[in-house]
Amino acid sequence: MKNLRAFLFWLVNIICLLFSISSSAQHKEAGKHSINLHEVQVRYGLDSSKPLSKRITITPDNIIKMFREAGMSPTEHQLTKEELATVVSAISRLPSFYQQVLKQHLKSISFLDNMPNTALTSSITGNETVRLYHITFRSGILHQNISEWVSEKERTCFSETDSTISISIQAGILKAFNYVLLHEGTHVVDGSLQIISADSVAGRPHMNDFTRKFTNGIWTNINTLSFPVTDSLAIKSRFRRDGRRYDNTEALEVYSELMKIPFVSLYSTASWHEDLAEIFTVYYLTKIYNQPFRIIIKKNGKVAGEFEPMKSDLVKSRLSLLHRLYIGPES
C-alpha cells in the first residue's frame, strides 16, 4: 500500500509539472490573442467581487477525468461548517497582495476525497495572455495541522529499512490548509504575474530580472539544476526526475546535504516553480506567524539530528527577493 501510494503521488507530481509546462507554453503563444483582464473574467465567469470563500464549487470535469485516467477514483467533498471555517481562516491569513491577485485570477476552488496528492493548481484559460485558475484540494488536509501533514509527506521520501529511525518535521500547530493554500496561492500569483518567466530567444532561455536573480547558479530551466547543486544527495529524492526513495538510514546524510544547498525542502527541488512556492511559504509561516520549521531525525527515540533550513546562509541569501511576492511589484 505504501509503495502504491508513493507511485500515485509521483505520478500526480509528473502530471502537475506537465500542467505547469503546458500553461507556460500557452502563455508564450498568446501574444496575438491579447485581451484585458476584465474581458477574460467575463469570458470564464469569474466575478472578482465575490469573496474567495464563496468560490467553492465542484471540481472541473477535466480534472476528474485526469485522475480517473490515471487509475484513481476521487469523489467530491462537501464542506462541513467546521471545515469551511478552516478555509475562511486560512484565506484571511494570506498576504494582502496574494488576496488581491487571487480575487482577480482564482475563479474557484474545490475539495475531493480520495485524492492522491494534496492539491492541484490548474489554468482554466486557453491562449489568452491573462490567466485564470482553479485549485483542487484533498479534503483530508482540513483535519491535520502543518506538522502532521508535512511530516507525513516527508516520510513518503523514505523506505522504512530501519524501524528504530523516525523522521518528522516540527512546523507548528496551525491547520495544514494554511500551508497548502499559501503554497498553491504562490503558484497562482507566479503564473498570473509571470513572476518566474523565461521565454526562448535564439534557442536560449531569456529570463526576466526576478527569474535571473532567483535561479542564478541554481536552475538552468524549469526542472534542470545547475552545478554545484547537482552533486548533492538531497536532489535525488522521488520529487526529482530519475529520483528515488531513500532508505531511512540515509536521513541524516540527506538533510545534512540539504543544509549545503539553497533549498528549504526536498520538494523545493522538483522545479523552479515549486522552489519559489516552498521558500515563500516556509518564510511567511516562520517569519510572519512565528512557526517553527525543524526537521528531526530520531534513533531509538533519541534525537540524532536536527536541521533548520531557514537558518542556512544559502537559503537566507535568497530571502530578500521575496518582497516581490509579499508586497507586490515595485512601483
Side-chain angles (χ1 to χ4, degrees):
M1 179 63 71
K2 287 183 179 179
N3 288 337
L4 176 60
R5 187 178 303 162
F7 170 75
L8 291 176
F9 197 100
W10 171 84
L11 179 61
V12 172
N13 281 334
I14 296 298
I15 292 171
C16 292
L17 180 59
L18 291 175
F19 259 70
S20 175
I21 294 172
S22 173
S23 179
S24 295
Q26 287 178 350
H27 186 82
K28 292 169 187 176
E29 295 294 326
K32 59 186 177 182
H33 303 285
S34 179
I35 56 178
N36 67 39
L37 174 60
H38 179 68
E39 289 175 321
V40 175
Q41 290 172 339
V42 171
R43 177 178 295 179
Y44 289 91
L46 187 156
D47 180 0
S48 61
S49 67
K50 181 185 290 188
L52 293 172
S53 61
K54 300 293 186 181
R55 301 185 191 186
I56 301 170
T57 184
I58 62 172
T59 305
D61 290 341
N62 66 312
I63 302 299
I64 295 293
K65 180 181 178 182
M66 178 194 70
F67 283 127
R68 289 178 177 167
E69 287 179 346
M72 308 165 203
S73 302
T75 56
E76 296 292 341
H77 179 84
Q78 298 297 319
L79 296 183
T80 65
K81 289 183 179 180
E82 292 77 12
E83 291 170 338
L84 179 58
T86 295
V87 173
V88 172
S89 175
I91 291 172
S92 71
R93 291 180 185 272
L94 290 172
S96 59
F97 177 62
Y98 271 45
Q99 295 187 42
Q100 294 169 21
V101 175
L102 266 58
K103 284 179 181 178
Q104 299 297 327
H105 292 270
L106 181 61
K107 181 189 176 185
S108 51
I109 65 176
S110 63
F111 293 85
L112 291 175
D113 294 321
N114 302 318
M115 183 175 169
N117 59 318
T118 303
L120 176 64
T121 296
S122 311
S123 174
I124 64 170
T125 44
N127 284 345
E128 297 89 352
T129 53
V130 175
R131 296 183 187 179
L132 306 181
Y133 293 88
H134 175 90
I135 306 177
T136 310
F137 296 98
R138 178 169 56 83
S139 61
I141 60 171
L142 296 169
H143 301 279
Q144 293 178 293
N145 64 40
I146 296 177
S147 293
E148 292 168 339
W149 169 73
V150 76
S151 294
E152 178 181 270
K153 178 180 178 180
E154 201 74 3
R155 291 180 191 124
T156 66
C157 294
F158 295 86
S159 297
E160 191 177 333
T161 52
D162 186 339
S163 61
T164 68
I165 295 174
S166 67
I167 300 164
S168 63
I169 300 180
Q170 289 183 353
I173 59 173
L174 289 176
K175 290 287 189 178
F177 190 69
N178 288 277
Y179 189 113
V180 179
L181 179 62
L182 187 54
H183 179 106
E184 299 302 319
T186 303
H187 288 322
V188 174
V189 173
D190 179 14
S192 299
L193 304 183
Q194 290 289 279
I195 302 294
I196 292 183
S197 178
D199 293 326
S200 179
V201 177
R204 302 182 65 181
H206 178 71
M207 301 178 180
N208 64 26
D209 186 59
F210 177 88
T211 306
R212 184 168 54 254
K213 292 177 180 177
F214 184 75
T215 65
N216 184 39
I218 303 171
W219 295 99
T220 301
N221 58 38
I222 187 172
N223 61 355
T224 303
L225 292 161
S226 301
F227 180 84
V229 175
T230 51
D231 288 339
S232 174
L233 179 63
I235 59 92
K236 303 183 187 303
S237 79
R238 67 181 189 83
F239 297 130
R240 293 285 302 158
R241 182 178 53 192
D242 300 325
R244 63 178 176 87
R245 294 184 77 190
Y246 304 114
D247 290 338
N248 64 354
T249 55
E250 298 177 281
L252 286 173
E253 183 181 359
V254 168
Y255 292 112
S256 293
E257 289 296 303
L258 180 65
M259 295 296 292
K260 298 175 184 177
I261 57 177
F263 296 107
V264 76
S265 68
L266 297 179
Y267 193 49
S268 297
T269 69
S271 73
W272 61 20
H273 295 295
E274 299 300 348
D275 182 15
L276 180 63
E278 281 287 278
I279 194 172
F280 183 77
T281 297
V282 177
Y283 164 77
Y284 192 75
L285 291 172
T286 56
K287 300 303 180 184
I288 306 303
Y289 285 101
N290 298 312
Q291 299 299 294
F293 193 79
R294 183 179 304 109
I295 302 161
I296 299 176
I297 313 300
K298 291 184 178 181
K299 173 77 171 177
N300 292 316
K302 296 182 179 180
V303 175
E306 294 188 9
F307 306 90
E308 296 186 70
M310 286 299 294
K311 293 184 177 180
S312 159
D313 288 339
L314 290 172
V315 170
K316 289 192 290 186
S317 70
R318 307 176 77 195
L319 299 182
S320 63
L321 294 171
L322 300 183
H323 74 279
R324 175 72 172 83
L325 290 170
Y326 186 59
I327 63 174
E330 296 176 345
S331 57

